[in-house]
Amino acid sequence: MEVVVVVLFLVPSVFSRLTARDYCVLGAGPGGLQIATFLKEAGRDYIVFERNQGPGSFFNSLPRHRKLISINKRFTGRANKEFNFRHDWNSLLSGDERLRFYHYSHDFFPHADDMVRYLQNFSSALNVHYGREIKNVRMKSDPEAWHGQYFVLEDQTGREDLCNVLLVATGLSLANQLRFPGEEYAEGYETISTDPSDFMGQSVLILGRGNSAFETADNILGSTNFIHMIGRSRVRLSWSTHYVGDLRAVNDGLLDTYQLKSLDGLLEGDLSDLALIRDDSGKLHVTHKLYLEKDMNPASNQSNHTMKSASMLLRDDLDNFAAREPYDRVIRCLGWKFDFSIFDKYEIFGSHILK
Ligand SMILES: Cc1cc2nc3c(=O)[nH]c(=O)nc-3n(C[C@H](O)[C@H](O)[C@H](O)COP(=O)(O)OP(=O)(O)OC[C@H]3O[C@@H](n4cnc5c(N)ncnc54)[C@H](O)[C@@H]3O)c2cc1C
Ligand SMILES: *[C@@H]1O[C@H](CO)[C@@H](O)[C@H](O)[C@H]1NC(C)=O
Ligand SMILES: *[C@@H]1O[C@H](CO)[C@@H](O)[C@H](O)[C@H]1NC(C)=O
Ligand SMILES: *[C@@H]1O[C@H](CO)[C@@H](O)[C@H](O)[C@H]1NC(C)=O
């Protein structure tokens, strides 16, 4: 009996030593897998925690219309590996020639599923633990830790791991939401139907002007009555700005249909001034926040931004054409942001940016 008691007493402290890792990586996307490869090559003790059951889960559903805009440059006519890598937009860095993306797709604009397959093979020799969603990161003082403190990672089951160095590669996982009256009527790029027949005969407003907005428009412009797209600034074409995140030519179909007779339109305006109102028939009307405030009778308490009839809408003096005809749907394509919620707020970066 005594022996059993001693063993039970020792197990927790031995266990916590064993789980103190040198390097912990959060996320098995391209970023986490790349850093894990370098750690492995350097012979370091590391572990990758990934909440999903496989790597590269971002690319399981995104981009929604499945065509990557990172080009698959298979041929350059050169033998210089460094040169060829510089023109290969998709491969991660590795000494293993089999782990070049062009073995996985021959398409110039590859399918996103090919990226997932590629990342599966890329990750197969790495120490990735799946199904571990890190819910909270905090610090714990310990004289044995490299810097006097461990990072304590707590997963969804309450299990904790200690790490000397934490590398966060969780990506930009939260869709940007814009707060405006009637925002609840807008659907998000991340969940919108990708079946063009769901948009037949509909009038659509897209909020945002990046690649996801244009990609969405391209998919449905053969089915809609018209698409209007609204953004704060001029469309920036990547071939003119040299920035790959600006609008890529492969997605720019709506520019054609806007310029050529098709009823589609591009509008400029500050989205933070926007308000959406739904009429009795379910149609969505765009107006300016200011007009909405004037229009709403506080006593009638229309806090959910419905209206009895479209005629109640105060006309903009400028009579912006977008405000004239109602929309069937409004789609939000406003980009992504980092999720800070896992960090214990005061102990890591300082409270001003967290929670
Ligand atoms: C709409 C859209 C289209 C894009 N198209 C392309 C394209 O065509 N080509 C291209 O090269 N790039 C494209 N990108 C950019 C690309 O998605 C990112 O550059 C890339 O995914 C970033 O890799 P990452 O490893 O940093 O993050 P991610 O790929 O987002 O990976 C993060 C990983 O961390 C995991 N994770 C998150 N939080 C936790 C947690 N708390 N615990 C455990 N695991 C967690 C996630 O499950 C995920 O697997 C696109 C981006 C968007 C938004
Ligand atoms: C990816 O890995 C699988 C399983 O190990 C293997 O069968 C396949 O050939 C690999 N793909 C490529 C392109 O190397
Ligand atoms: C106005 O709306 C709020 C929130 O929906 C509700 O709590 C309140 O009772 C309403 N007031 C009136 C006068 O209807
Ligand atoms: C909005 O308010 C109207 C009138 O008060 C009500 O009939 C309707 O159900 C509400 N809609 C939502 C989505 O809450």
Side-chain angles (χ1 to χ4, degrees):
M1 275 314 269
E2 270 178 19
V3 172
V4 172
V5 171
V6 170
V7 170
L8 285 176
F9 181 71
L10 284 177
V11 163
S13 81
V14 168
F15 183 70
S16 76
R17 289 270 158 76
L18 285 177
T19 56
R21 307 280 179 163
D22 289 352
Y23 295 89
C24 293
V25 179
L26 288 196
L33 298 176
Q34 183 67 78
I35 197 72
T37 302
F38 293 146
L39 290 168
K40 184 184 168 162
E41 285 172 3
R44 304 301 174 103
D45 169 63
Y46 75 94
I47 181 171
V48 181
F49 295 110
E50 167 56 51
R51 63 181 167 195
N52 288 309
Q53 296 306 324
S57 52
F58 175 94
F59 293 98
N60 279 329
S61 59
L62 296 158
R64 292 301 311 287
H65 305 91
R66 313 307 288 140
K67 186 193 280 182
L68 295 182
I69 54 175
S70 41
I71 61 176
N72 184 20
K73 185 78 185 139
R74 297 160 63 207
F75 303 106
T76 62
R78 309 271 190 104
N80 183 319
K81 277 194 175 160
E82 169 75 23
F83 180 89
N84 290 346
F85 248 127
R86 282 164 54 83
H87 292 85
D88 176 343
W89 296 35
N90 293 298
S91 297
L92 296 180
L93 303 176
S94 131
D96 184 348
E97 161 59 23
R98 288 167 304 173
L99 295 175
R100 291 298 292 267
F101 184 81
Y102 46 65
H103 295 307
Y104 294 77
S105 170
H106 287 177
D107 294 335
F108 194 54
F109 293 104
H111 196 283
D113 290 348
D114 294 332
M115 179 55 79
V116 177
R117 275 196 310 118
Y118 170 74
L119 294 173
Q120 270 159 3
N121 279 33
F122 194 90
S123 63
S124 63
L126 298 170
N127 185 27
V128 185
H129 289 230
Y130 294 104
R132 300 283 311 274
E133 175 162 17
I134 302 306
K135 291 288 203 182
N136 181 260
V137 178
R138 62 175 196 277
M139 307 299 293
K140 178 186 172 194
S141 293
D142 191 316
E144 295 204 0
W146 293 0
H147 306 289
Q149 294 190 89
Y150 284 122
F151 290 94
V152 183
L153 310 188
E154 185 186 337
D155 77 5
Q156 78 280 12
T157 66
R159 180 172 160 189
E160 292 187 343
D161 282 81
L162 301 181
C163 316
N164 280 300
V165 176
L166 175 63
L167 297 141
V168 180
T170 50
L172 303 181
S173 58
L174 300 177
N176 277 328
Q177 306 268 354
L178 198 64
R179 298 280 161 240
F180 58 85
E183 63 181 306
E184 65 274 24
Y185 301 133
E187 301 167 81
Y189 166 81
E190 63 283 1
T191 52
I192 192 81
S193 164
T194 54
D195 180 355
S197 66
D198 290 340
F199 297 82
M200 272 194 295
Q202 296 188 351
S203 308
V204 175
L205 175 66
I206 295 180
L207 309 178
R209 272 210 187 156
N211 280 296
S212 63
F214 276 89
E215 168 200 321
T216 303
D218 258 8
N219 185 48
I220 60 176
L221 53 76
S223 304
T224 52
N225 301 334
F226 59 82
I227 300 171
H228 290 161
M229 201 182 267
I230 184 166
R232 183 170 38 195
S233 53
R234 280 280 149 90
V235 173
R236 290 183 302 264
L237 302 166
S238 66
W239 53 260
S240 102
T241 62
H242 297 233
Y243 171 55
V244 296
D246 286 336
L247 179 59
R248 301 287 302 285
V250 65
N251 281 334
D252 74 1
L254 191 92
L255 291 184
D256 246 42
T257 60
Y258 166 49
Q259 297 296 346
L260 310 167
K261 219 169 172 169
S262 76
L263 304 177
D264 295 335
L266 283 169
L267 312 165
E268 260 168 55
D270 190 340
L271 290 173
S272 57
D273 295 333
L274 182 82
L276 284 181
I277 298 178
R278 189 162 72 175
D279 68 23
D280 285 346
S281 63
K283 301 259 182 199
L284 299 169
H285 299 254
V286 171
T287 187
H288 192 286
K289 245 183 211 165
L290 258 176
Y291 295 117
L292 180 76
E293 281 155 18
K294 273 199 229 160
D295 198 31
M296 289 293 179
N297 173 1
S300 74
N301 198 10
Q302 286 169 303
S303 59
N304 69 2
H305 314 111
T306 60
M307 51 186 265
K308 283 277 169 274
S309 80
S311 63
M312 269 177 66
L313 236 195
L314 238 184
R315 284 282 166 250
D316 187 328
D317 290 339
L318 300 171
D319 193 23
N320 189 321
F321 77 98
R324 241 182 283 147
E325 287 197 55
Y327 298 99
D328 296 292
R329 318 168 82 133
V330 175
I331 308 173
R332 168 175 52 64
C333 300
L334 297 173
W336 306 81
K337 63 183 176 196
F338 186 78
D339 181 2
F340 284 101
S341 69
I342 59 173
F343 298 107
D344 214 18
K345 62 176 162 183
Y346 300 111
E347 295 184 77
I348 297 181
F349 296 119
S351 59
H352 56 292
I353 54 166
L354 300 179
K355 290 189 176 164

